[in-house]
Amino acid sequence: MNTDAMIKEFSSQFGKTPDHIFFCPGRVNLIGEHIDYNGGKVMPCAISLGTWLLVSKNNNKLLRFSSLNFPEKADFHLQDSYSKTGKDWFNYPLGVINEIVQEGDHISGLDLLFYGNLPIGAGLSSSASIEVLTGFALSKLFGINIPGKELALMGKKVENKFIGVNSGIMDQFAVAMGKKNNAILLDCDTLEYEYIPFEIGDNILAIINSNKQRTLADSKYNERFAECGKALKALKKDLDVTHLCDIDLKTFEDHRHLINDPVLDKRALHVISENFRVGEAKDALKANDLATFGKLMYASHQSLKDWYEVSGKELDTIVEFCKTYEDCIGARMTGAGFGGCAIALVKKNKFEDFSSKINAYYEEKIGYKPDVFASEIGDGVGELKKEFS
Ligand code: GLA
C-alpha cells in the first residue's frame, strides 16, 4: 500500500487529512541472539519493511486508534494513566502514550491510523516498530524532543512493564537508531554503539519467513530469561560479575561446574559463546571476510538450536537447505525464534534460483511454503516529508 492510499483511508475514517506521516522500520539481527538481556553485544540492522503512522491532533480530548491491519478500533478519553486491555494491538501505542503522560508531558487528543507491512509475530520486531514509532511521533507533535536512545529505552520499558515480556533493548534500539547500509554493533550493557558498514559485495541479505507463527513465544521467552538469571546466580558464587556476558569462555569452562543443572548449563553456554561470536563477526565484517562471517552465522544457529533450544523444525529446515546451497554463505534464525524468520547471505544473481529451490524444499518437508524476500538495510524511525493537501 502506498502513502496516497493510506491518506485516503485516514480521510475516510477521520474526515480530514493527516497532519503528519511517520515511518519506523522493523529489524533483523545479523548475530548476537538472546544475549541483549544478558548484557551482551548484538548486531542488528533496520530493514525497509516497517510501520507507518498517519496522525492529526483533534479537539475532542480523545485518542482514537485505528489500524489497516487489524479490525479492532479503540477510543480513549485523555487520562493521567492508561492500562493494558487484553491482547489488543493498540496496547503497544497505548503503553507508549502512558509512559509519556506519566513523565508529566501534556498531550492533546489524537487521531491515529497505523499500517504495517511487517509480518506480525515473525521475529522482525513489529512491536518495537510500533512502540518507537508512537514515541517518535508524540515527541515531534508535542515538542518533547526525546533522543533516539531514550525512545528505545521507553519502548523496552513498555514491552517489559505494560505488555509483560522481559525483552532486551536490541529491537527498539535497532529501529530507533538504524542507519542505511550499516549494521549496529550495540553493547547492551552500556548502550555504546558503533555503525559497521554492511558491505556484502555481490551478495544480498535474504529474509525467509517460515510462516510458522511464534506461538508460546512470549512465555518461552520469559522462561529463557529466568533460566539465564538462575545460571548467573550459580556462577556468582565464585565470580564477581553482573551479567552472563561479563564472563569469557575460558572463565566459564573453569566455573561451569557451579551451575550443576544440565539445562541451565546449556543456556549459559549459548549466551557466552554467542557473545564471543559477535566479536569475531565484527572483525570479519570489518575485514570484509564474508566467508568467516557466514560460518559464524551457521555456528550461531547451531547454538540456538542445540543449547538455547529456541529454533524448531521450520527454522532448522531453512538453515539445513542453506547449508547445501553452494551460493549461500551463511544463514541463521533471527529474533526470538520459536518460528518466525531466518536470514541468509546469498549471491545476488542466484537469488531467484535460491528462492524457488528453498520454496520447494521447505514445502516438501513442512507442508506449506515460506515467504522469501531480499531486504535492504535502511534508516531508523523518521518523519516522511510528504506534501499532501
Ligand atoms: C526478541 C527480543 C529482543 C531479543 C531477541 C532475541 O526480539 O525483543 O530483545 O532478546 O528476541 O535476541
Side-chain angles (χ1 to χ4, degrees), residues 377-389:
I377 304 302
D379 284 322
V381 66
E383 177 162 8
L384 299 189
K385 298 280 173 225
K386 189 170 188 317
E387 295 296 320
F388 42 89
S389 49

Side-chain angles (χ1 to χ4, degrees), residues 27 29 32-37 125 167-171 221 335-336:
R27 67 98 191 87
N29 185 20
E33 215 66 84
H34 283 279
I35 61 172
D36 58 346
Y37 52 89
S125 292
S167 61
I169 187 70
M170 171 172 74
D171 304 349
Y221 188 96

Side-chain angles (χ1 to χ4, degrees), residues 117-275:
N117 61 2
L118 287 164
I120 311 279
L124 300 180
S125 292
S126 51
S127 52
S129 176
I130 194 169
E131 288 157 2
V132 169
L133 178 65
T134 309
F136 184 84
L138 266 78
S139 159
K140 291 285 169 202
L141 285 168
F142 301 107
I144 313 173
N145 292 323
I146 309 173
K149 259 191 201 180
E150 297 301 320
L151 281 176
L153 286 166
M154 184 189 285
K156 176 180 184 298
K157 190 165 171 198
V158 169
E159 197 72 47
N160 298 164
K161 306 265 185 249
F162 201 83
I163 305 294
V165 180
N166 287 317
S167 61
I169 187 70
M170 171 172 74
D171 304 349
Q172 289 81 5
F173 199 96
V175 303
M177 304 291 287
K179 183 171 164 190
K180 196 170 170 54
N181 296 331
N182 280 262
I184 309 171
L185 179 68
L186 170 67
D187 182 324
C188 299
D189 181 24
T190 62
L191 293 194
E192 276 165 23
Y193 65 100
E194 179 188 344
Y195 291 114
I196 303 187
F198 189 59
E199 282 159 1
I200 52 175
D202 56 357
N203 299 286
I204 48 122
L205 180 68
I207 300 182
I208 305 108
N209 184 354
S210 68
N211 284 329
K212 153 106 165 105
Q213 283 286 318
R214 296 182 315 161
T215 42
L216 285 183
D218 293 357
S219 56
K220 285 279 176 197
Y221 188 96
N222 284 344
E223 187 180 298
R224 291 294 175 279
F225 179 88
E227 288 166 346
C228 289
K230 286 184 195 155
L232 176 65
K233 193 167 170 214
L235 290 163
K236 275 177 129 179
K237 277 183 229 143
D238 269 7
L239 296 173
D240 180 20
V241 289
T242 314
H243 307 288
L244 278 181
C245 289
D246 297 340
I247 302 169
D248 61 33
L249 281 166
K250 165 84 174 66
T251 312
F252 179 61
E253 277 309 323
D254 294 345
H255 294 84
R256 64 194 289 189
H257 60 273
L258 292 171
I259 294 183
N260 207 15
D261 174 322
V263 171
L264 301 185
D265 177 72
K266 283 198 281 186
R267 306 301 186 241
L269 180 57
H270 163 71
V271 168
I272 293 165
S273 65
E274 181 76 351
N275 195 40

